């Protein structure tokens, strides 16, 4: 639910910069011969030429829309150039677009200099330009400038008519240079000049054009830049003067308002008969609070008046990473082995992104979440949502794969009910999965100077072969679990949009409370999981591994017989017996094991016990036995935690967070949990 924040009293200048037909521009930069031609980026599949996910403005003027499929687009615009999204692991590979987005954010943040810069999605950025605008107003106000750049003079100023043709630029100049304007609009005038220059520089440095909205606060900027720049794109900018706010809000459809596109907006329409944001004005704050609670009520009252205290966050990196895929219609997944196959692919992609985040930005994520959409055959309860599940995130692709699958099974058990598939006439009730995604969130910076632990994470990238691990049987009997350490999230809030029929890449940009999330979804050409070859994972670095080895060896020469931390964890994770464990039994249950999800197998309870016993011994190192030089490199917080693990025979804590959802655990214990396979 949205939360009201007090609006800061000072006038601010906030800009929202949005790239034009972004994926198309990325492709056109790669193939300059496509520039100026009607072009669309398509996620190819056999059905009607695949789904369009980005359309150039030339193609839009021929009637091509993003909702179309390739064949429809060709019918509407025979000369259209369709460029396919690269494919990796049987799904769309958006890395090129993500990198291009990061490049843009980098350039914008440098150009914005002292201003705060917040990455809002793959191709959108917020900028707080208040300081820059204030400096300009103090040192070189627009009216003192000899000339104002053409790009600034082409700005759209809401509330100002453009019918005067050539005189229009003069009107814009007058508006920017008005001496009697109120301070807020004077600052906006400076913002117009700053943003016009910034957009020109972005074009020069990245070859991408962008549009922008400029307003007094983030909400207005958000609202109106999205709305108005949609009308004035590409390569233009739109300004929302203070006087234009109320008029625009009064006619803005309620569902267009950020955070009101979903259930809350629908409730406002049906329960209060509200059609536009302006209609909200007739309700008192108390009335809105009665209906929607104190916070949301106040938030609604504020947005009806264009009030928002939301600050631009200084954040250039995503708040979470995700990888997903839809399986519509006949491609719906119907066996655990298929689900596991795809979860392995998605987990690989997720881990690739986590690894590069760790390497490039020194950040680690701590929560893994599984979302899915599903339906049941002969469903009497067809509206039941497939629950989302989370657990602490363990680094290592095989661990993520394992946890994702365990989360899925826990969710499936809940979805199917306590007694598993029920007989329906002669047939057993079965399930179908139409969308899967895994995401990593709660990303934090790791303290600087922790090179050993980083190398440790980077060495955790072995990928087991799917076929080697052996898939569980199809349609397993799902049994209720005695204890689950996973948390539950309301799927309505967290499940990314997964179109049931059409297959598009969905991209959920962040809103006030939700995390940033990229979801790449593509219809596969071949949804079968016959090919289970092990895949090489690219981030394992021999050099890095050698570095660790050398370091350990050197230390060992000094402290002969003294095991290093890295050795201990390596042994702990790579114990051959643990690796050889396979899930052969079709009954899968979740057990809490040191705070992490694990699958237990019926046949191997004795083996498990043996493995557990051995691990207990391995945890029995004393702090004094550890290579101090390696230990010292760890951040203090981690050192402290390790000390508690390393007391003789002391087990790591259960990992269950106090909040009960397991996801808020501050412990790093989960990073070191072993594979259960
Ligand atoms: N995208 C996607 N699937 C969607 C929406 C968008 O894969 N359903 C991708 C392709 C877009 C990019 O995200 O190029 C940015 O999305 P925008 O909504 O900003 O749309 P565009 O940048 O393509 O066009 P516009 O100029 O209208 O902003």
């Amino acid at each position: 639910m949205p939360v009201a924040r007090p609006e800061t009293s000072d006038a601010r200048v906030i800009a929202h910069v949005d790239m034009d037909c972004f994926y198309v521009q990325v492709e056109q930069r790669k193939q300059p011969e496509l520039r100026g031609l009607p072009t669309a980026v398509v996620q190819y599949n056999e059905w009607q030429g695949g789904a369009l996910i980005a359309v150039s403005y030339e193609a839009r003027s021929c009637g091509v829309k993003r909702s179309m499929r390739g064949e429809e687009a060709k019918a509407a615009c025979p000369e259209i150039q369709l460029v396919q999204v690269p494919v990796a692991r049987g799904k769309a590979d958006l890395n090129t677009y993500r990198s291009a987005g990061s490049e843009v954010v980098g350039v914008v943040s440098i150009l914005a200099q002292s201003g705060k810069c917040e990455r809002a999605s793959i191709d959108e950025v917020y900028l707080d330009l208040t300081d820059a605008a204030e400096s300009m107003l103090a040192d070189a106000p627009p009216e003192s400038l000899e000339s104002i750049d053409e790009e600034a003079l082409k700005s759209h100023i809401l509330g100002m008519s453009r019918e005067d043709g050539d005189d229009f630029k003069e009107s814009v100049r007058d508006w920017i240079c008005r001496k009697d304007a109120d301070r807020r609009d004077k600052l906006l005038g400076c913002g117009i000049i700053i943003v016009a220059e910034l957009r020109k520089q972005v074009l020069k440095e990245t070859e991408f054009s962008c549009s922008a909205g400029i307003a007094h606060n983030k909400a207005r900027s958000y609202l109106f830049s999205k709305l108005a720049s949609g009308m004035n794109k590409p390569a233009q900018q739109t300004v929302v003067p203070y006087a234009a706010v109320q008029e625009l809000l009064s006619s803005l459809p309620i569902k267009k308002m950020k955070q009101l596109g979903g259930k809350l907006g629908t409730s406002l329409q049906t329960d209060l008969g509200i059609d536009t944001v302006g209609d909200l004005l007739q309700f008192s704050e108390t009335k809105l609070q009665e209906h929607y609670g104190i916070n949301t009520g106040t938030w609604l009252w504020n947005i009806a008046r264009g009030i928002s205290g939301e600050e631009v966050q200084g954040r250039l990196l995503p708040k979470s990473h995700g990888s997903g895929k839809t399986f519509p219609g006949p491609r719906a997944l119907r066996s655990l082995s298929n689900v596991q196959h795809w979860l392995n692919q998605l987990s690989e992609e997720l881990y690739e992104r986590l690894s590069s985040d760790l390497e490039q930005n020194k950040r680690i994520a701590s929560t893994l979440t599984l979302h899915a959409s599903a339906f049941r055959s002969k469903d009497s309860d067809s509206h039941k949502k497939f629950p989302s599940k989370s657990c602490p995130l363990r680094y290592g692709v095989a661990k993520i794969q394992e946890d994702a699958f365990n989360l899925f099974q826990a969710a499936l058990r809940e979805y199917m009910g306590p007694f598993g598939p029920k007989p329906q006439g002669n047939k057993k009730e079965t399930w179908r999965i139409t969308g899967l995604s895994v995401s990593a969130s709660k990303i934090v910076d790791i303290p600087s100077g922790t090179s050993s632990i980083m190398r440790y994470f980077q060495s955790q990238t072995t990928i087991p072969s799917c076929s080697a691990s052996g898939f569980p049987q199809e349609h397993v009997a799902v049994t209720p679990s005695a204890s689950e350490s996973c948390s539950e999230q309301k799927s309505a809030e967290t499940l990314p949009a997964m179109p049931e029929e059409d297959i598009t890449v969905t991209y959920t940009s962040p809103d006030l409370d939700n995390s940033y999330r990229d979801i790449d979804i593509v219809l596969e050409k071949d949804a079968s999981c016959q090919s289970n070859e092990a895949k090489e994972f690219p981030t394992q670095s021999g050099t890095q591994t050698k570095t660790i080895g050398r370091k350990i060896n050197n230390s060992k020469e000094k402290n002969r017989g003294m095991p290093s931390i890295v050795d201990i964890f390596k042994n702990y994770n790579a114990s051959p017996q643990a690796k050889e464990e396979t899930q052969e039994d079709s009954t899968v249950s979740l057990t809490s094991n040191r705070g992490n999800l694990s699958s237990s197998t019926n046949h191997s309870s004795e083996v498990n016990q043996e493995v557990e016993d051995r691990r207990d011994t391995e945890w029995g190192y004393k702090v004094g036995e550890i290579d101090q030089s390696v230990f010292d490199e760890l951040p203090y917080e981690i050192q402290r935690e390790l000390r508690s693990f390393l007391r003789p025979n002391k087990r790591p804590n259960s990992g269950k967070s106090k909040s009960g959802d397991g996801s808020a655990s501050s412990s790093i214990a989960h990073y070191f949990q072993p594979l259960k396979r």
Side-chain angles (χ1 to χ4, degrees), residues 188-209:
L188 275 189
C190 298
I192 291 176
I193 296 170
I194 295 167
V195 173
E197 180 58 29
L198 182 138
R199 288 180 36 247
K200 276 170 56 179
Q201 287 299 323
V202 169
L203 180 63
K204 196 170 149 197
E205 293 192 27
T206 66
E207 298 176 35
F208 298 141
S209 75

Side-chain angles (χ1 to χ4, degrees), residues 18-24 43 53-55 57 60 66 94 121-124 226 233-234 504-507:
D18 184 13
M19 309 312 290
D20 302 315
C21 56
F22 187 49
Y23 289 11
V24 171
Q43 285 195 340
I53 57 171
V55 181
Y57 283 84
R60 290 183 205 193
R66 182 146 66 192
L94 305 184
S121 80
I122 201 162
D123 73 335
E124 290 169 290
K226 284 250 175 200
K233 275 190 148 209
T504 58
V505 166
T506 52
Y507 179 83

Side-chain angles (χ1 to χ4, degrees), residues 122-246:
I122 201 162
D123 73 335
E124 290 169 290
V125 179
Y126 281 110
L127 295 169
D128 188 334
L129 299 171
T130 312
D131 289 349
E134 276 179 345
S135 302
M136 182 186 250
L137 197 58
D139 303 338
E143 64 267 26
S144 70
L145 300 177
E146 267 179 26
S147 65
I148 292 182
D149 191 273
E150 278 290 296
E151 195 57 42
L153 296 179
K154 286 195 279 175
S155 301
H156 298 255
I157 299 178
L158 293 181
M160 181 185 285
S161 161
R162 295 202 87 177
E163 281 160 15
D164 298 340
D166 283 348
D167 288 346
F168 175 74
K169 286 184 187 166
E170 276 311 306
S171 308
V172 173
R173 186 194 307 277
D174 291 347
W175 193 90
I176 294 173
C177 299
R178 264 186 322 163
K179 283 193 180 140
D180 60 344
D182 106 350
R183 183 175 163 79
R184 285 174 297 204
D185 283 349
K186 278 190 175 173
L187 285 172
L188 275 189
C190 298
I192 291 176
I193 296 170
I194 295 167
V195 173
E197 180 58 29
L198 182 138
R199 288 180 36 247
K200 276 170 56 179
Q201 287 299 323
V202 169
L203 180 63
K204 196 170 149 197
E205 293 192 27
T206 66
E207 298 176 35
F208 298 141
S209 75
C210 60
S211 300
I214 308 155
H216 293 288
N217 70 20
K218 190 171 164 185
R220 285 168 206 157
S221 171
Y222 212 113
L223 196 57
F224 297 119
S225 64
K226 284 250 175 200
L227 205 72
S229 71
M231 290 186 281
N232 298 314
K233 275 190 148 209
Q236 294 174 69
Q237 61 185 46
T238 307
V239 187
V240 188
Y242 193 71
V245 169
Q246 214 51 57

